[in-house]
Amino acid sequence: MLTIIIIVSIGPVKIPLPDVFNILLNALLNEIYLLLGKMPLINGLIAPPQILVNPTHESIILHIRLPRILLAVLVGAALAAAGTMMQGLFKNPMADPFIIGISSGAAAAVSATIVLGIVIFGGYTIPIMAFLGATTAAFVVYNIARVGGKVPVETLLLSGIAVGAFLSAITSFMIFLAGEDLHHIIFWMMGGFWAANWEQVKLISPLICIGIVIVYFFAKDLNVMLLGEEPAQHLGISVESFKKIMLIFASLITAAAVSFSGLIGFVGLIIPHIVRILTGPDHRILLPASALVGAIFLAWADTLARTIMAPAELPVGIITALFGAPFFVYLLRTRKRTMF
């Protein structure tokens, strides 16, 4: 909450922190007043809030900055949680939705949806198509990497790279066919929150929040998976079914995150790894902590992206890649010292 209040004040128009606090408090009290006003027994017994706020600052915060920051918070939490889940599932600190092809699957599906003008699910079309693309990519990579009932890490990463390259080719083909939709796809692929609005926040927030909560209930099983697949099997976990369930939820959370923000890489890679160093490998702590740190990290990354070259904005994917790519090289160089 403190991060949100501070970030909301940052931008081309500087807004003092006390004004930010008053505007957010006034908006919260107004929502409570409207909610309670719908109750017959309470209606008429309470008065609307009387906090004086600057209307220009209020409009900037409530209609531009706040939905953008909340979308960044949700996406950061989702990508970090999905990365944590996949790293624990595959016992590999380099596994994340971006590297093993899930994000590329979502990108190809969304590109095709935009170019072909598919709107069969109304406002949910892009999130649903992103989910289908991400899930399909995850299971293709998983089955390609599976050798004799096991999924070797090296094979998994190579499969993810190969499938990701193939899906990127499909995405490039869709860009070639895009015509008037070209700018829409290009901006989506670069990753950013410049088109964020409250409708997007309302659409993806239940998918991400419910997905993370459900995955949290499997935290103990993820801990058991760290012992290895055979011990986990002896302890009563149906390993293959568990992997499929986790892949479905990782795809759901990732697809919901990238459906409106576009491709934002490396959040799911670097955040779980850093948090694991601080908290240890227990997923009952690691999972919520990673989601929290991921939310804060991406909110600040987006703030940097929209202010570092103001009035122009950088795609936030550039900022996360500048942090994530060197970190990925570091992981490759130090992989022998496993964190699990």
Side-chain angles (χ1 to χ4, degrees):
M1 190 63 190
L2 179 61
T3 294
I4 292 175
I5 292 175
I6 295 173
I7 290 176
V8 161
S9 70
I10 301 174
V13 177
K14 306 295 181 186
I15 302 176
L17 286 177
D19 285 5
V20 172
F21 181 79
N22 286 337
I23 289 169
L24 294 179
L25 180 61
N26 187 58
L28 177 63
L29 293 177
N30 266 313
E31 289 296 323
I32 294 174
Y33 169 74
L34 292 174
L35 181 64
L36 295 179
K38 296 177 182 177
M39 301 178 183
L41 294 177
I42 299 178
N43 188 20
L45 298 178
I46 57 175
Q50 300 293 331
I51 300 175
L52 294 178
V53 296
N54 183 316
T56 302
H57 290 174
E58 184 181 38
S59 180
I60 291 173
I61 289 177
L62 297 184
H63 298 298
I64 299 175
R65 293 184 187 175
L66 191 57
R68 176 174 182 150
I69 292 168
L70 290 180
L71 194 65
V73 165
L74 287 167
V75 171
L79 295 178
T84 304
M85 187 193 324
M86 303 202 72
Q87 290 175 14
L89 186 64
F90 296 112
K91 292 180 61 181
N92 188 324
M94 290 186 289
D96 90 325
F98 191 80
I99 291 175
I100 70 167
I102 291 180
S103 297
S104 298
V110 170
S111 300
T113 301
I114 293 172
V115 172
L116 300 177
I118 300 172
V119 290
I120 53 179
F121 301 112
Y124 286 92
T125 297
I126 287 182
I128 290 175
M129 295 305 289
F131 170 66
L132 294 176
T135 306
T136 302
F139 278 94
V140 168
V141 170
Y142 176 79
N143 283 296
I144 291 176
R146 189 176 178 187
V147 179
K150 296 183 178 180
V151 182
V153 170
E154 292 78 8
T155 311
L156 177 75
L157 294 177
L158 291 174
S159 301
I161 292 171
V163 172
F166 177 76
L167 293 170
S168 296
I170 293 178
T171 304
S172 298
F173 182 64
M174 289 296 126
I175 292 174
F176 176 75
L177 299 176
E180 295 179 354
D181 294 320
L182 177 63
H183 69 286
H184 190 178
I185 297 178
I186 292 294
F187 278 106
W188 185 86
M189 289 185 64
M190 287 193 295
F193 300 100
W194 42 70
N197 58 53
W198 284 111
E199 286 302 315
Q200 295 174 352
V201 174
K202 291 176 183 176
L203 276 173
I204 71 167
S205 55
L207 297 175
I208 291 175
C209 294
I210 293 173
I212 292 176
V213 169
I214 291 176
V215 169
Y216 182 75
F217 285 112
F218 291 98
K220 288 184 178 178
D221 294 332
L222 284 170
N223 288 341
V224 175
M225 287 292 290
L226 296 180
L227 301 174
E229 294 186 9
E230 192 169 338
Q233 193 83 39
H234 290 310
L235 290 171
I237 294 178
S238 177
V239 173
E240 292 307 314
S241 298
F242 180 69
K243 284 182 179 178
K244 291 174 182 175
I245 292 171
M246 289 295 99
L247 282 176
I248 289 174
F249 278 105
S251 302
L252 172 65
I253 294 172
T254 304
V258 304
S259 57
F260 294 118
S261 68
L263 296 182
I264 299 175
F266 297 106
V267 176
L269 173 69
I270 62 175
I271 298 301
H273 198 79
I274 293 172
V275 175
R276 189 178 295 108
I277 293 173
L278 299 174
T279 67
D282 187 346
H283 286 86
R284 292 172 297 180
I285 301 172
L286 178 62
L287 191 63
S290 295
L292 177 63
V293 176
I296 294 172
F297 169 76
L298 196 55
W300 277 106
D302 180 56
T303 302
L304 187 61
R306 65 183 170 85
T307 57
I308 192 171
M309 296 184 67
E313 289 190 18
L314 285 176
V316 71
I318 293 177
I319 304 295
T320 58
L322 287 175
F323 284 100
F327 196 80
F328 184 69
V329 173
Y330 161 76
L331 286 180
L332 286 174
R333 300 279 295 179
T334 60
R335 191 165 169 268
K336 288 183 179 179
R337 291 179 294 169
T338 178
M339 296 301 299
F340 294 97

